[in-house]
Amino acid sequence: MRVGILTITEKWQNYFNHRPSYSTQDYLAQKFPKKITGDNLWVNGAVCPDQELVEMIKALKPEEAIYKNSKIIAVLTNDHELPEVITGKATEYQNEIIFIDRPWKIFQNNGNQIRSDFKLVTANRKSAVIKDPHTRVYNEGNIFLEEGVLVHAAVLNAENGPIYLGKNSHVQEGAIIRGPFALGEESIINMGGKMRADTTVGPFCKIGGEVSNAVLFGHSNKAHDGFLGNSVLGEWCNLGADTNTSNLKNNYDKVKLWSYSENKLINTGIPNCGLIMGDHSKSGINTMFNTGTMVGVSSNIFGGGFPPKHIPSFQWGGASGFSIYHFEKAMETAVRVMGRRNLTLSGQDQTILKNIFELNQ
């Protein structure tokens, strides 16, 4: 999951200079394998690291653990599974910890994670230079460009937070960006795009229109006009022209969002929540998403009116009703979409998607 500039995995990898392995669901384990040694450091995958926490983890001795609010954060053990009982010393971490254990916490914490990641990825490095004379910059010292970035006649305002532009990314004419903001490698902000604060556009994306406090994981498009706010898009998503998300109820009440683990709507406790969309899902032109809409994997939403607030995976339709998006047809589309980026849908990924399809039948 991407939150800030980096994914959670990339954050830990940067701090430890070592790529972690994973303990995950059986159907994901082939793509995300677990590597066991004689000295295993288990870290809660929902936790975003900070320097003090990392130093505390590095000081752990065998069978010792760190916890916060009764949740295990890290444990060092010879066991080949996360131990159910901690036999050594367990120490509570005194600072606040960012737990990404609910979907809305991705965008809710995105601004502070952009700030944190910006320091991590730009430390002791020099930014590339904006050469375009027609681009207006505010607080240039808080803006970092990787090599190959193109910026034309844009406004970059980093007075309230950093702006990070990834390798070979492109900010087209008339785009306006307010930090904190991150643009991933080879991603494009289209002409006239309005990027509000606390927004991350992951690698290989196209973005346009008005975007506020949203996160696109990667390889996803919202290229046209329309509003996307307080939202998360997975990978290989596409929002058709003039797709709009509501992110605030008319009565200003707290938003409810579908929970897959609890199989019901739950209260987020926050007033601003837009669209959460799983990988490979799409919307047609002029689609309207209600406040707190949850869309599963590989669904296609289109037509007039507001579709339901929960759209399961592999659905085809809209407000007037849905039918099953048959697996073979969905895979044909996924292959075409990825082929446009000169990528192939691996057999491994097809197996994962097949598992999700079967879970939803």
Side-chain angles (χ1 to χ4, degrees):
M1 291 186 294
R2 188 173 304 278
V3 53
I5 299 171
L6 305 171
T7 65
I8 295 177
T9 295
E10 289 167 344
K11 297 176 198 291
W12 288 102
Q13 185 175 342
N14 267 270
Y15 276 111
F16 280 85
N17 197 29
H18 181 77
R19 186 170 182 85
S21 65
Y22 306 87
S23 178
T24 186
Q25 300 291 326
D26 288 343
Y27 75 94
L28 296 170
Q30 185 177 358
K31 183 170 183 176
F32 302 99
K34 179 169 61 177
K35 180 182 178 182
I36 295 299
T37 66
D39 190 18
N40 302 301
L41 174 62
W42 298 82
V43 176
N44 189 318
V47 172
C48 293
D50 60 55
Q51 186 63 50
E52 191 169 338
L53 176 60
V54 167
E55 290 173 2
M56 192 171 175
I57 290 174
K58 287 181 176 179
L60 284 173
K61 293 181 173 59
E63 309 310 319
E64 290 186 346
I66 299 167
Y67 70 96
K68 180 72 175 182
N69 298 331
S70 301
K71 293 181 180 180
I72 293 294
I73 304 304
V75 57
L76 184 65
T77 177
N78 293 331
D79 292 350
H80 287 191
E81 296 292 341
L82 181 66
E84 294 183 5
V85 178
I86 304 301
T87 58
K89 179 183 176 183
T91 305
E92 183 163 18
Y93 187 60
Q94 297 302 313
N95 295 345
E96 290 299 315
I97 281 184
I98 304 298
F99 280 101
I100 309 299
D101 54 356
R102 295 288 192 180
W104 62 86
K105 291 189 179 181
I106 297 170
F107 64 76
Q108 194 176 30
N109 289 285
N110 198 53
N112 62 49
Q113 286 301 296
I114 291 175
R115 290 183 172 92
S116 175
D117 289 348
F118 187 84
K119 293 177 182 178
L120 191 64
V121 301
T122 67
N124 302 315
R125 299 178 61 214
K126 187 176 180 180
S127 170
V129 177
I130 297 175
K131 298 179 181 179
D132 176 60
H134 305 294
T135 292
R136 181 75 175 179
V137 172
Y138 299 88
N139 195 14
E140 187 171 3
N142 218 19
I143 299 172
F144 192 92
L145 282 66
E146 299 286 0
E147 62 178 282
V149 173
L150 293 176
V151 183
H152 293 114
V155 177
L156 279 60
N157 186 344
E159 290 180 335
N160 294 320
I163 294 174
Y164 174 85
L165 303 180
K167 182 180 178 182
N168 296 330
S169 61
H170 188 183
V171 181
Q172 293 185 346
E173 298 86 344
I176 302 171
I177 302 172
R178 291 181 65 89
F181 176 84
L183 185 67
E185 179 180 354
E186 294 201 26
S187 287
I188 298 171
I189 302 177
N190 284 343
M191 294 180 294
K194 297 183 284 291
M195 303 294 114
R196 295 192 190 179
D198 302 336
T199 292
T200 292
V201 179
F204 308 100
C205 294
K206 296 177 183 177
I207 196 79
E210 183 182 5
V211 183
S212 176
N213 189 201
V215 179
L216 283 69
F217 281 4
H219 289 102
S220 288
N221 296 334
K222 182 225 168 294
H224 305 288
D225 285 344
F227 176 68
L228 180 69
N230 302 97
S231 297
V232 181
L233 304 185
E235 296 189 337
W236 303 105
C237 297
N238 188 78
L239 301 187
D242 204 34
T243 291
N244 284 281
T245 63
S246 169
N247 65 337
L248 180 67
K249 296 173 71 173
N250 283 348
N251 63 2
Y252 289 65
D253 199 2
K254 302 296 190 296
V255 178
K256 291 183 178 180
L257 188 69
W258 183 261
S259 167
Y260 280 91
S261 60
E262 298 170 56
N263 201 33
K264 64 179 182 179
L265 289 170
I266 60 171
N267 196 330
T268 65
I270 57 175
N272 295 103
C273 183
L275 169 69
I276 310 293
M277 178 177 275
D279 293 355
H280 292 281
S281 285
K282 314 280 191 289
S283 72
I285 62 170
N286 299 311
T287 302
M288 301 185 298
F289 288 108
N290 219 326
T291 317
T293 295
M294 174 71 76
V295 178
V297 170
S298 202
S299 284
N300 196 349
I301 303 101
F302 53 87
F306 285 103
K309 289 187 61 171
H310 173 223
I311 302 168
S313 297
F314 292 92
Q315 298 293 301
W316 180 281
S320 60
F322 285 90
S323 59
I324 294 174
Y325 191 5
H326 293 291
F327 182 75
E328 292 74 16
K329 292 293 185 181
M331 292 306 96
E332 287 176 9
T333 299
V335 167
R336 284 193 208 101
V337 169
M338 295 179 71
R340 286 162 58 94
R341 305 287 183 92
N342 297 316
L343 295 172
T344 57
L345 179 65
S346 69
Q348 202 172 66
D349 283 346
Q350 287 194 52
T351 299
I352 291 173
L353 290 166
K354 182 71 171 179
N355 272 274
I356 296 170
F357 178 82
E358 291 172 350
L359 283 170
N360 280 267
Q361 304 312 307

